[in-house]
Amino acid sequence: MNKSFHKEVLNAINKKSGKKISSGAVNKLASTVKPSTLQNEAQLRKLIKQVSAMANIPVSEETVKEIVAAVKKSGMNPNNMESLMKMMLNK
């Protein structure tokens, strides 16, 4: 992920959440994500809930289902986290 995009994503998360999230916290969470995470619904749900908790933004079960369906439907390359972040920011 390029540096300017990383900064843009972090700024968007902080603005939406009203909470200052450090790049270290994001990097720590991102380091646990593997390509298989996006292929396994249980792992993807867990990731969505972790991001929700970190940003202190509640995510309804309906929204979780929509994100899971969008990830599956998109056929996105699980190695491309930038695409996933863009999709989630537009949600």
Side-chain angles (χ1 to χ4, degrees), residues 1-18:
M1 204 178 307
N2 74 44
K3 199 170 197 162
S4 66
F5 179 75
H6 181 266
K7 191 172 186 174
E8 178 183 324
V9 169
L10 190 58
N11 288 338
I13 292 169
N14 286 332
K15 184 177 179 182
K16 285 187 177 190
S17 70

Side-chain angles (χ1 to χ4, degrees), residues 24-42:
V26 173
N27 288 335
K28 184 177 178 181
L29 179 60
S31 72
T32 67
V33 177
K34 308 216 177 333
S36 63
T37 303
L38 301 182
Q39 304 301 314
N40 181 300
E41 186 170 333

Side-chain angles (χ1 to χ4, degrees), residues 4-91:
S4 66
F5 179 75
H6 181 266
K7 191 172 186 174
E8 178 183 324
V9 169
L10 190 58
N11 288 338
I13 292 169
N14 286 332
K15 184 177 179 182
K16 285 187 177 190
S17 70
K19 180 179 176 185
K20 180 74 172 150
I21 299 170
S22 72
S23 61
V26 173
N27 288 335
K28 184 177 178 181
L29 179 60
S31 72
T32 67
V33 177
K34 308 216 177 333
S36 63
T37 303
L38 301 182
Q39 304 301 314
N40 181 300
E41 186 170 333
Q43 290 178 0
L44 183 55
R45 286 175 170 275
K46 182 179 176 184
L47 175 62
I48 293 165
K49 290 178 184 195
Q50 287 174 314
V51 172
S52 170
M54 182 172 54
N56 197 27
I57 299 173
V59 177
S60 70
E61 183 57 33
E62 185 61 32
T63 301
V64 171
K65 286 179 185 178
E66 289 176 15
I67 294 170
V68 169
V71 169
K72 287 182 174 184
K73 184 179 178 183
S74 74
M76 94 175 51
N77 179 348
N79 293 313
N80 188 348
M81 290 303 293
E82 188 169 329
S83 294
L84 177 62
M85 294 301 294
K86 283 181 181 176
M87 182 184 68
M88 292 178 82
L89 284 174
N90 292 327
K91 189 71 183 128

